[in-house]
Amino acid sequence: MTTDHAPPAPSPSAPESQLRLLLPQILPALAVGVAASLLFLGISALAEQFEEVLWDDLPDALGIGGFSSLWMISMLTATGIAVGLVVWKFPGHAGPDPAAEGLGGAPFAPGVVPGLLVASVLGLAGGVSLGPENPIIAANIALAYWLGRKAQPSLPGAAWVALASAATIGALFGTPVAAALVLSEALSAQPGRGSLWDRLFAPLVAAGAGAMTAQLLSTPSFDVGLPPLTDPGFGDVLAALVIASAAAAFGLAACYLFPYAHAAFQRLRHPMLMLPLGGLVLGLLGALGGHLTLFKGLAEVKELTSALGSWSSGELAKFAVVKLLALLVAASCGFVGGRIFPAVFIGSSFGLLAQALVPEVNPSVAVSSAVLGVLLATTRQGWISLFTGAVLAGSPDIIAPLCLASLPAWLIVTGRPQLELDHQGHALH
């Protein structure tokens, strides 16, 4: 007696399996990309409008110079008081200690987001030497994780974190390339199914959507008007090696001081003491260094490079040192914000100082190499440091010298303290 059995259903081929996995991720990635970019653009526009009121309209109405020493000290102290109130009274206290938060990370509870964004707007508008990237990425991660898990529970929570991170980085830099570089560095250390490009597929869709939204509604640009580098030679490579290494060592100074500065502010124990005091110190530093050492730093870099050759070596050294100290204080006392944008100003000042001391060095080589070195020291993000240095120069010929310059600079910074602490206040290495 024979029994007929139905033939087993054919298993899907590998390409079909990957398509079934990747295609459903496109729509969520597009939605997160556009929404994350809109949040970034909205917060940036709000901060710029508030900055204009605080630094132009209000001092004009009072008949006071907007960048007089008195106004800078008063405004930064008032910003510290305002952010201190937010950290003290808002639900979630604007998130964990910013000194222990890097670029991205685990999602916060959604109730933390309003206080985090208010503190970020106040700091950006008030002249604090921190960028928008850390709080905006953290806010987008929290919202994408919360809403995404409700809308599409089948998608893992880590996927929503990656989409939000990629989308925000794409919007910040105006290109998905930056997000691809950052995420490839993170994903390479994580086990996962499929190739790296399979895991980057949805984040790149989100980054592309975020970047295009930013390009359509704004004009994000890291072009600072440096003269292009053409036909790089041995002298350019040697200059890049020396400047990047020296800038990395310079940036490391803040990393070594960071735990001590943070511990000093933590002894005050209350945000209404830590942040106002931090604001006062930032105001005094601003009075010492001038208005170019305030704010996140990108617009100020353009002002530096627009007057290329007119700054003395003493002025440029002052800008670099004061901005490094301002970044150290702002990151230590509890202001929320990122390190990338102020590090770009520090590196640009350091590079222009090197070029002022040795005029034969090409300005693009000097600035991009120094930015590379300072970013490597302060962020420990290799790809984003190379990318930022390259886009500042605006010339593909700079890439080879920068890649070579990154090698000795990385040897200087690897295994050293970072400009980030663990939750016990100890330096990360």
Side-chain angles (χ1 to χ4, degrees):
M1 178 177 177
T2 60
T3 304
D4 294 331
H5 294 280
S11 59
S13 65
E16 291 175 349
S17 176
Q18 289 303 103
L19 284 175
R20 291 179 184 177
L21 177 67
L22 297 177
L23 288 176
Q25 299 179 33
I26 293 178
L27 189 58
L30 289 172
V32 171
V34 173
S37 186
L38 289 175
L39 180 63
F40 162 65
L41 293 174
I43 292 299
S44 298
L46 180 60
E48 288 171 5
Q49 292 295 318
F50 195 26
E51 176 188 328
E52 188 174 336
V53 171
L54 295 178
W55 294 93
D56 293 324
D57 299 344
L58 188 55
D60 285 349
L62 296 173
I64 302 171
F67 292 113
S68 66
S69 296
L70 177 61
W71 189 254
M72 285 190 280
I73 294 169
S74 302
M75 188 51 57
L76 266 300
T77 304
T79 300
I81 293 170
V83 175
L85 285 169
V86 172
V87 173
W88 181 26
K89 292 296 187 181
F90 267 60
H93 306 289
D97 183 357
E101 296 298 314
L103 201 64
F108 299 154
V112 175
V113 172
L116 181 68
L117 293 179
V118 171
S120 177
V121 169
L122 291 172
L124 290 169
V128 175
S129 291
L130 291 171
E133 62 274 19
N134 284 22
I136 296 295
I137 291 175
N140 276 328
I141 286 174
L143 294 174
Y145 183 86
W146 177 53
L147 295 171
R149 295 282 285 171
K150 291 179 179 294
Q152 193 168 338
S154 60
L155 202 61
W160 295 108
V161 172
L163 293 180
S165 298
T168 313
I169 294 171
L172 279 162
F173 288 93
T175 170
V177 175
L181 294 173
V182 171
L183 287 173
S184 65
E185 191 169 354
L187 291 174
S188 64
Q190 299 176 3
R193 296 178 59 189
S195 70
L196 177 63
W197 278 99
D198 282 338
R199 288 184 281 163
L200 280 175
F201 178 81
L204 276 179
V205 173
M212 285 305 302
T213 302
Q215 292 282 4
L216 290 171
L217 299 179
S218 182
T219 53
S221 174
F222 275 69
D223 181 9
V224 295
L226 290 168
L229 174 67
T230 56
D231 299 323
F234 176 75
D236 296 309
V237 174
L238 179 61
L241 291 168
V242 172
I243 293 171
S245 299
F250 180 66
L252 270 181
C255 300
Y256 275 102
L257 292 172
F258 191 34
Y260 302 101
H262 179 262
F265 280 105
Q266 286 297 309
R267 289 191 185 97
L268 299 175
R269 297 183 178 276
H270 199 284
M272 287 305 294
L273 295 175
M274 292 188 292
L275 284 152
L277 178 60
L280 172 61
V281 175
L282 290 176
L284 293 170
L285 287 170
L288 175 63
H291 73 279
L292 287 182
T293 59
L294 302 179
F295 304 103
K296 66 181 183 182
L298 186 57
E300 288 70 28
V301 169
K302 295 178 181 180
E303 193 170 339
L304 268 183
T305 56
S306 67
L308 193 66
S310 64
W311 305 104
S312 69
S313 57
E315 288 175 313
L316 292 166
K318 180 180 70 174
F319 291 155
V321 171
V322 169
K323 190 69 171 180
L324 188 72
L325 291 173
L327 172 58
L328 174 64
V329 171
S332 299
C333 71
F335 285 108
V336 298
R339 282 80 152 151
I340 292 176
F341 288 90
V344 168
F345 181 90
I346 295 164
S348 299
S349 303
F350 192 95
L352 291 177
L353 169 62
Q355 199 271 334
L357 295 173
V358 186
E360 293 80 11
V361 175
N362 182 285
S364 291
V365 172
V367 169
S368 57
S369 302
V371 167
L372 167 69
V374 173
L375 279 172
L376 283 175
T378 54
T379 71
R380 234 41 70 86
Q381 296 273 348
W383 283 123
I384 205 66
S385 302
L386 271 170
F387 174 81
T388 306
V391 298
L392 284 173
S395 170
D397 288 331
I398 199 68
I399 295 175
L402 282 186
C403 287
L404 293 172
S406 69
L407 302 178
W410 183 256
L411 290 176
I412 290 171
V413 304
T414 186
R416 309 290 182 185
Q418 300 183 30
L419 200 64
E420 183 180 341
L421 308 177
D422 62 22
H423 289 283
Q424 286 72 46
H426 302 129
L428 294 179
H429 291 75

